[in-house]
Structures are given as structure tokens and as C-alpha cells.
């Protein structure tokens, strides 16, 4: 009996000693399991918080331009961190239960803005927007329709002229000054020779001879007068080159927008360093580059849009980047005028009939000087004048909503050489009464702008396109700035949690609390 009591007492002591060990072991196991759960909880909090923050994208930007980006108002990243902390708190604190934690630090890293990487980010966003709206463009067909593939000479002509947004007399009739000097020298030489001949002549001619020559003299005078009118065409055109062309090509009754553009705080005014920020792997593909231009064409207005906006000529601004609507329209129209002049010159050079007419006109104008080189020079200058005049009629038609084929035919060519002299030798130049044949399958004014966009540097299209988007969205939200719009980023969360089951556990593993650093990333870019 005494032995039995002794055994029970020993067992009680043993169990009493074992129980704390068991409880500590159990608590350690539970705390370890809780530590793992905390790790997943903190990771979930970081991932959820970053997605919740980016869910607050700019509604005006999405509704107007189908672009998704998170606006950080006034670049206040402290507010962005506070917003992240608000979403993190749903996973921590008292609502976290046994896996509650306290966020000790929230940082944002690797933020990528719409204006970063020299426009590559914007191009990628546009590519996503176009794909999301199921807009499929077969690049080859578009480029062929616009004359940017296939015929090498045609493509070269377009590429050479699409960037020329100024017009001067020397640009228009290159070499005219030297040719004119040669003509004057030939005239002086011919007059001197004529005077010597008159001094050496003896006697007169009979009545029959005078009668025979009178008809020839009258015919020669008529030809000389017609030839002189061709010379007057060149003189008048040089004045047009000096004074501009908007007044000639604007359709009757059309008024110009007086909108102005302030360059301050626009994406295109960013420094090179700011544009180079956050260089990413989001380099645009050829398809994205084409989609970028098409996106701009579909979402921005131009002269023929009649949108009533101010500034109104948005596509023209993308091409020219001037500070007023009028200056942008003038630059865009000049580019199209150069394109049409180049294509019209190409047509004239390939038309045997037109070349013959030019040679005859040049002969009438300066053939009497007896120098073939001057006739050839006159033919070249007259060909340029003819092509340019036809181009003015073309551009006027385009601005009036008409269509002009890239390459003219005998049927679609409008001006005759005699019609050319009627226009440019009148007291006032009139293009209103010059009507070309309606072209059903030709290119519109917007199509010619599209050609110019395709031949404009991608970075230029990106940043000026962003300028237009920003100033329009600012009409709804004055604080809006694309430079503050984030498209991707990483939220880094550092959190702590004290041991719950076995406070001693912290001492066992060498810390008084659990500390976790987890991150979550998000990007609007696919």
C-alpha cells in the first residue's frame, strides 16, 4: 500500500514535470503554424492592396480614350501609401483574428508612368486599348492603300515630302533664280546681235515681201504672248510661295479655329531625363506602332471633324506641335500640299502627252532665244508649277470633304496648261471655279493625315498625342496630369505580429515578434 502510494506520487510528479514541456511543445507547434499562416496573410494583404489601389483608375481617361492608368493626384505618393495602408488594414489589426498583424512600413517601388520610356509605355497602352476594343487592322492592306508599300519611287516621294511643313519660293521653284539670270543674259545677247544686224542691213524690202511676212509676224506675236503668260505663271507662283497658301485652299465659307495651346506641363515638354525614366521591357512591336497611329486617328479630331473644341485641330497638332490651331493647320496642309505636288510630278513625268505639252509651252516661252538649255529649264519649272497648281486644287477639295487618289490619271487630272495661265495671270487668283472629277475611291483629308502620321517619328506621335489627351481630360478634372498616371507598380509591405500562443516562442527563435516583408505587383499592361 505504501509502495503503491509512492509509485502514484512519482507518476504525479513525472506528469507534473511533463505537462509544461507538452504545453510548450504544443504552443510552439501552434505558433509555428500561425507564423506560416501570417506569412500567407501578409502576402495576401500586399497583393490585395496593390490591386485595390490600381482599381481606382482614372474614369475620364478610360471613358474618353479607353486607356487605363491610376492617377496620383499632384504626384502625392504619401497619399498613395496611406491608401495602400487602408486596404492592408482589412487583413491585419483586430479583423485579422489569430493572424492579425500591424503594418510598420508601406513602400511603392518600380512605378511606371504613362509618359515613361520615350513613349513606349503609351504605345503599349494604346496597343492594349485597340486590341481590347477588337479593332483589327491588316497592316499590309493599310500601307498599300496609303501608298507606303510596293512602288519604291512612290514610297520615296511620300517619305521625302510628308515632313515638309514649310513653303518658300526657293523650295517651290528650286533653281528659278539661276534660270532667270540665264534668260536675261540670253535676251541681252540677242538684242545686241539684233542691233548689229540692223546696222549692217542695206535697203528695204518690196511690198510683196512685206505682205508675205505680215501673217507670220502676227502668228509670232500671238505665240510670244502665250509664251509670256507661262512666264507670268512662274512669277506669280513665287509670290504665293512667299505669302502662304491657307487663303487659297480654304473652302469658301470655312472659318479657322483660333484655339491656342499652352506648352506648360504637357507631356511633350518633359525633359529627356524624365522621358527616360522607368525604361521597361514594353518595347512596341510593329503592330503596336501601326495601332498607335490608328488610335490617334480614331480618337483625335482634325479640321474636317467640326467638333467645336478649342483647340480644335488635334491631329494637326500631333504632326506640327505649333502653339495655335492656325499654325498647326497651315503646317499640316503644307505637308499634304508637298505630298500631292510630289505625286503630281510623278504623274506628269510618266505622261507622254503632258510632257509634249510642257515642251511646246516652254518653246513658246523662251524658244525664241535659241538656247535649248533654257527651253529644258523652262519645261522643268513649268512642270513644277503645273503639279503645284493641281495640288492646290486637290488640297482645297480635300478640305471641303472630297477625295483625291494618290496617283492621278488622265481622267482625274484637273488643270490644263491654258487653264493654269488663266488662274495665275488673273488679277486675283481664283480656285473656286476649278472643279475636279469626283473620286469615289480616292483618299480623304484624314487619309492624308494618316500618311503623315505613319511617316512621323513614333516618340513624337506618342508625346503630342498625350498632350491632346491631357488637355481634354483636364476639362473634366483640372488636376489631371498624365505624368502622374501610374500603369504598374510594386507595393512592399513590412508587418509585425507578436507571438500569440507561446510568448516564449519568440525567445526560442531569437526574436520577440514575427516580422515579414512581402510584396505585390500589378500592371495594366498585358
Amino acid at each position: 500500500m505504501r509502495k503503491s502510494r509512492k509509485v502514484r506520487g512519482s507518476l504525479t510528479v513525472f506528469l507534473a514535470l511533463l505537462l509544461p514541456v507538452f504545453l510548450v511543445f504544443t504552443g510552439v507547434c501552434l505558433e509555428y503554424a500561425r507564423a506560416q499562416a501570417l506569412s500567407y496573410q501578409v502576402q495576401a494583404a500586399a497583393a490585395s492592396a496593390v490591386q485595390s489601389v490600381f482599381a481606382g483608375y482614372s474614369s475620364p481617361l478610360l471613358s474618353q480614350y479607353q486607356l487605363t492608368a491610376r492617377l496620383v493626384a499632384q504626384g502625392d505618393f504619401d497619399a498613395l501609401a496611406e491608401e495602400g495602408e487602408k486596404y492592408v488594414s482589412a487583413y491585419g489589426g483586430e479583423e485579422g483574428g489569430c493572424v492579425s498583424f500591424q503594418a510598420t512600413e508601406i513602400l511603392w517601388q518600380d512605378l511606371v508612368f504613362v509618359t515613361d520610356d520615350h513613349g513606349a509605355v503609351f504605345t503599349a497602352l494604346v496597343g492594349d486599348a485597340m486590341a481590347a476594343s477588337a479593332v483589327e487592322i491588316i497592316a499590309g492592306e493599310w500601307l498599300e492603300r496609303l501608298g507606303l508599300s510596293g512602288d519604291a519611287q512612290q514610297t520615296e516621294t511620300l517619305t521625302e515630302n510628308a515632313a515638309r511643313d514649310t513653303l518658300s519660293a526657293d523650295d517651290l521653284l528650286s533653281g528659278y533664280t539661276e534660270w532667270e539670270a540665264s534668260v536675261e543674259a540670253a535676251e541681252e545677247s540677242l538684242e545686241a546681235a539684233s542691233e548689229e544686224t540692223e546696222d549692217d542691213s542695206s535697203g528695204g524690202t518690196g511690198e510683196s515681201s512685206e505682205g508675205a511676212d505680215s501673217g507670220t509676224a502676227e502668228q509670232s506675236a500671238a505665240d510670244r504672248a502665250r509664251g509670256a503668260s507661262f512666264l507670268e505663271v512662274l512669277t506669280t507662283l513665287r509670290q504665293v510661295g512667299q505669302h502662304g497658301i491657307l487663303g487659297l485652299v480654304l473652302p469658301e465659307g470655312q472659318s479657322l479655329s483660333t484655339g491656342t495651346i499652352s506648352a506648360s506641363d504637357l507631356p511633350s515638354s518633359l525633359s529627356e531625363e524624365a522621358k527616360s525614366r522607368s525604361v521597361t521591357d514594353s518595347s512596341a512591336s510593329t503592330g503596336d506602332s501601326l495601332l498607335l497611329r490608328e488610335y490617334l486617328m480614331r480618337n483625335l479630331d482634325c479640321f474636317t471633324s467640326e467638333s467645336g473644341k478649342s483647340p480644335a485641330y488635334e491631329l494637326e497638332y500631333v504632326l506640327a506641335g505649333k502653339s495655335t490651331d492656325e499654325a498647326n493647320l497651315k503646317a499640316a496642309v503644307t505637308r499634304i500640299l508637298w505630298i500631292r505636288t510630289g505625286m503630281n510630278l510623278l504623274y506628269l513625268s510618266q505622261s507622254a502627252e503632258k510632257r509634249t505639252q510642257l515642251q511646246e509651252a516652254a518653246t513658246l516661252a523662251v524658244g525664241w532665244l535659241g538656247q535649248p538649255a533654257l527651253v529644258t529649264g523652262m519645261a522643268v519649272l513649268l512642270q513644277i508649277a503645273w503639279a503645284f497648281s493641281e495640288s492646290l486644287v486637290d488640297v482645297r477639295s480635300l478640305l471641303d470633304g472630297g477625295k483625291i487618289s494618290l496617283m492621278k490619271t488622265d481622267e482625274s487630272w484637273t488643270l490644263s496648261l491654258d487653264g493654269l495661265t488663266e488662274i495665275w495671270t488673273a488679277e486675283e487668283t481664283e480656285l473656286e471655279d476649278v472643279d475636279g472629277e469626283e473620286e469615289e475611291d480616292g483618299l480623304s483629308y484624314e487619309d492624308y493625315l494618316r500618311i503623315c502620321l505613319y511617316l512621323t517619328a513614333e516618340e513624337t506621335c506618342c508625346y503630342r498625342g498625350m498632350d491632346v489627351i491631357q488637355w481634354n481630360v483636364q476639362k473634366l478634372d483640372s488636376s489631371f496630369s498624365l505624368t502622374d498616371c501610374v500603369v504598374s507598380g510594386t507595393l512592399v509591405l513590412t508587418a509585425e505580429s507578436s507571438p500569440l500562443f507561446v510568448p516564449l516562442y519568440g525567445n526560442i527563435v531569437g526574436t520577440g515578434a514575427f516580422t515579414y516583408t512581402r510584396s505585390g505587383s500589378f500592371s495594366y499592361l498585358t
Side-chain angles (χ1 to χ4, degrees), residues 132-156:
S133 59
V135 178
E136 296 181 0
I137 300 172
I138 303 175
E141 291 184 359
W142 272 108
L143 295 178
E144 183 178 355
R145 177 173 178 267
L146 298 174
L148 296 172
S149 66
D151 188 284
Q153 188 176 11
Q154 182 172 286
T155 303
E156 183 181 355

Side-chain angles (χ1 to χ4, degrees), residues 256-286:
L256 287 175
S257 168
T258 57
T260 60
I261 298 100
S262 173
S264 61
D265 300 326
L266 291 177
S268 61
S269 65
L270 290 173
S271 65
E272 190 64 26
E273 181 181 359
K275 291 180 180 180
S276 303
R277 181 178 55 181
S278 304
V279 176
T280 66
D281 295 330
S282 57
S283 56
S285 64
T286 301

Side-chain angles (χ1 to χ4, degrees), residues 6 21 59 76 89 92 99 139 141 150 160 166 169 192 253 323 328 374 376 384 400 407 410 422 434 436 506 522:
K6 189 176 181 179
V21 175
S59 296
D76 187 358
S89 64
V99 287
E141 291 184 359
E160 179 182 349
T166 59
S323 60
N328 286 317
L374 294 179
T376 301
I384 296 172
D400 203 24
M407 180 61 77
D410 292 341
E422 291 174 4
V434 182
F522 184 87

Side-chain angles (χ1 to χ4, degrees), residues 207-409:
E207 291 183 1
S208 61
S209 175
E210 291 177 358
D213 290 342
S214 61
T216 303
E218 291 177 1
Q219 181 64 36
S220 176
D223 289 343
R224 288 282 295 275
R226 186 163 180 254
S229 68
F230 291 126
L231 290 171
E232 190 175 345
V233 166
L234 301 183
T235 303
T236 306
L237 274 182
R238 282 180 58 80
Q239 295 173 352
V240 170
Q242 291 170 344
H243 299 298
I245 44 85
L246 269 187
L248 291 175
V249 298
L250 279 179
E252 187 175 0
Q254 282 276 16
S255 59
L256 287 175
S257 168
T258 57
T260 60
I261 298 100
S262 173
S264 61
D265 300 326
L266 291 177
S268 61
S269 65
L270 290 173
S271 65
E272 190 64 26
E273 181 181 359
K275 291 180 180 180
S276 303
R277 181 178 55 181
S278 304
V279 176
T280 66
D281 295 330
S282 57
S283 56
S285 64
T286 301
D288 284 342
S289 297
L290 294 173
L291 286 174
L292 167 67
R293 273 75 175 190
E294 193 59 27
Y295 174 86
L296 296 175
M297 291 299 306
R298 289 170 180 264
N299 289 278
L300 273 57
D301 294 323
C302 63
F303 175 80
T304 55
S305 300
E306 299 181 355
S307 64
K309 293 180 181 178
S310 182
Y313 308 148
E314 297 171 344
L315 285 170
E316 289 86 347
Y317 169 79
V318 173
L319 290 176
K322 307 293 185 181
S323 60
T324 66
D325 272 341
E326 182 176 353
N328 286 317
L329 178 62
K330 181 178 179 180
V333 164
T334 302
R335 290 191 185 200
I336 297 175
L337 185 61
W338 278 119
I339 288 176
R340 287 301 324 146
T341 300
M343 299 309 298
N344 289 338
L345 280 172
L346 196 57
Y347 161 77
L348 289 176
S349 66
Q350 296 173 356
S351 172
E353 179 184 355
K354 297 291 192 297
R355 291 200 307 271
T356 300
Q357 293 179 27
L358 287 166
Q359 188 67 27
E360 291 174 352
T363 302
L364 285 176
V366 293
W368 57 277
L369 293 173
Q371 295 191 21
L374 294 179
V375 174
T376 301
M378 177 65 184
V380 171
L381 292 172
L382 198 56
Q383 180 179 356
I384 296 172
W386 200 2
F388 179 76
S389 302
E390 180 79 5
S391 300
L392 288 174
V393 177
D394 293 343
V395 173
R396 183 181 178 84
S397 176
L398 289 172
L399 292 176
D400 203 24
K403 293 183 177 181
I404 301 295
S405 297
L406 198 59
M407 180 61 77
K408 287 292 186 84
T409 62

Side-chain angles (χ1 to χ4, degrees), residues 72-90:
V72 184
Q74 307 298 327
D76 187 358
F77 296 102
D78 290 337
L80 196 65
E82 291 174 3
E83 186 176 351
E85 185 177 0
K86 179 183 71 173
Y87 293 118
V88 164
S89 64

Side-chain angles (χ1 to χ4, degrees), residues 446-477:
E446 291 86 350
D447 288 326
Y448 281 95
L449 290 181
R450 185 179 274 110
I451 292 174
C452 294
L453 279 179
Y454 283 141
L455 296 173
T456 300
E458 182 177 318
E459 183 174 334
T460 300
C461 291
C462 282
Y463 281 96
R464 290 179 183 167
M466 286 188 273
D467 289 348
V468 176
I469 291 173
Q470 178 168 301
W471 77 51
N472 281 326
V473 176
Q474 282 180 344
K475 295 174 184 177
L476 302 176
D477 179 2

